[in-house]
Amino acid sequence: DVKVTQSSRYLVKRTGEKVFLECVQDMDHENMFWYRQDPGLGLRLIYFSYDVKMKEKGDIPEGYSVSREKKERFSLILESASTNQTSMYLCASSSPGTGDGYTFGSGTRLTVV
Amino acid sequence: SQQGEEDPQALSIQEGENATMNCSYKTSINNLQWYRQNSGRGLVHLILIRSNEREKHSGRLRVTLDTSKKSSSLLITASRAADTASYFCATVLFSNRDDKIIFGKGTRLHILP
């Protein structure tokens, strides 16, 4: 019963390419999030969205953009991929105020060469 | 904006022993959550403890919360090889639109057969 699905487990892209990471949730959650996870740095919030077509910058938004055209889908876009964007990317969703915790996808390991 | 900090960073114990991980934080919270992450995968929500609770159990998991000391502990009893993973605490503060959740950097737990 997969609830948050990330489109790719592994991805290899070239420097300068435009990269799309897709995330879909089937729990009707209002909030969706994109994190990157790097050794020694933990999880860092890139962007989040609390409603369709709404987005907020997280702690490290530079070099990224997002799109939320439908409630269930939250896309992370690397406009021009760079090697320092090689990382594990994690999508999550939640319902605010319930405190039920986040539901995470399985992650996408992106390598930029 | 790191809040939760886990201690120790890494822990190796023999199968069957109990594993204890600690988390300290700095500001007020509404609840604290623990997550588990298997290598190369997303995070899985384990347990949530609210700020007015002191202890909570779920199977072999026991979580305590001391709001006066701003600390929490996760105890895994009778550890198994399958418990090998990274464990993260996350502090949550409710707001109007989104729950501000901050993850620690995690404890890497290794269960020795």
Side-chain angles (χ1 to χ4, degrees):
Chain A
D1 60 338
V2 177
K3 297 180 178 178
V4 177
T5 303
Q6 292 184 230
S7 53
S8 305
R9 285 294 316 281
Y10 300 95
L11 213 51
V12 180
K13 296 291 182 180
R14 295 194 180 279
T15 302
E17 275 193 76
K18 190 169 186 176
V19 181
F20 293 86
L21 301 184
E22 305 287 347
C23 177
V24 177
Q25 52 97 2
D26 63 1
M27 295 167 290
D28 201 35
H29 281 168
E30 291 84 352
N31 294 349
M32 296 188 75
F33 308 83
W34 275 106
Y35 288 87
R36 66 177 281 177
Q37 184 178 26
D38 301 284
L41 298 177
L43 276 80
R44 292 182 291 169
L45 181 63
I46 305 171
Y47 267 98
F48 67 97
S49 168
Y50 53 86
D51 201 353
V52 176
K53 297 191 185 296
M54 305 301 286
K55 60 184 180 183
E56 296 271 354
K57 292 180 179 179
D59 299 320
I60 51 162
E62 298 77 18
Y64 303 94
S65 62
V66 290
S67 171
R68 193 162 181 204
E69 296 296 318
K70 294 183 179 181
K71 189 175 185 180
E72 66 271 18
R73 185 180 296 271
F74 192 36
S75 303
L76 179 69
I77 304 156
L78 286 66
E79 296 290 342
S80 177
S82 63
T83 54
N84 63 12
Q85 292 178 310
T86 291
S87 186
M88 169 70 107
Y89 289 87
L90 294 167
C91 174
S93 69
S94 75
S95 192
T98 63
D100 285 341
Y102 284 15
T103 302
F104 280 84
S106 296
T108 296
R109 182 161 296 281
L110 172 67
T111 302
V112 182
V113 297
Chain B
S1 55
Q2 204 72 34
Q3 160 123 288
E5 284 194 21
E6 292 89 346
D7 167 53
Q9 290 187 343
L11 179 63
S12 293
I13 61 172
Q14 292 294 136
E15 191 168 16
E17 293 181 344
N18 296 342
T20 300
M21 290 159 275
N22 302 297
C23 171
S24 60
Y25 59 93
K26 295 176 182 167
T27 63
S28 297
I29 62 171
N30 289 107
N31 67 62
L32 186 144
Q33 304 173 18
W34 285 90
Y35 289 80
R36 165 201 168 114
Q37 184 182 34
N38 285 21
S39 180
R41 310 290 294 191
L43 278 71
V44 175
H45 182 254
L46 291 176
I47 194 167
L48 177 152
I49 186 164
R50 292 182 166 80
S51 59
N52 61 353
E53 297 176 314
R54 292 296 167 258
E55 188 171 312
K56 201 161 184 180
H57 297 254
S58 176
R60 294 185 296 113
L61 304 181
R62 173 177 167 251
V63 170
T64 62
L65 179 64
D66 187 335
T67 52
S68 65
K69 294 181 179 178
K70 292 186 166 56
S71 67
S72 172
S73 67
L74 171 67
L75 169 68
I76 303 175
T77 60
S79 63
R80 304 168 182 169
D83 294 329
T84 294
S86 291
Y87 292 83
F88 295 84
C89 72
T91 55
V92 179
L93 188 64
F94 294 159
S95 68
N96 287 338
R97 295 184 309 196
D98 61 270
D99 297 344
K100 186 172 180 62
I101 185 168
I102 301 176
F103 289 89
K105 293 184 180 179
T107 292
R108 294 188 311 279
L109 175 65
H110 184 54
I111 307 299
L112 304 168

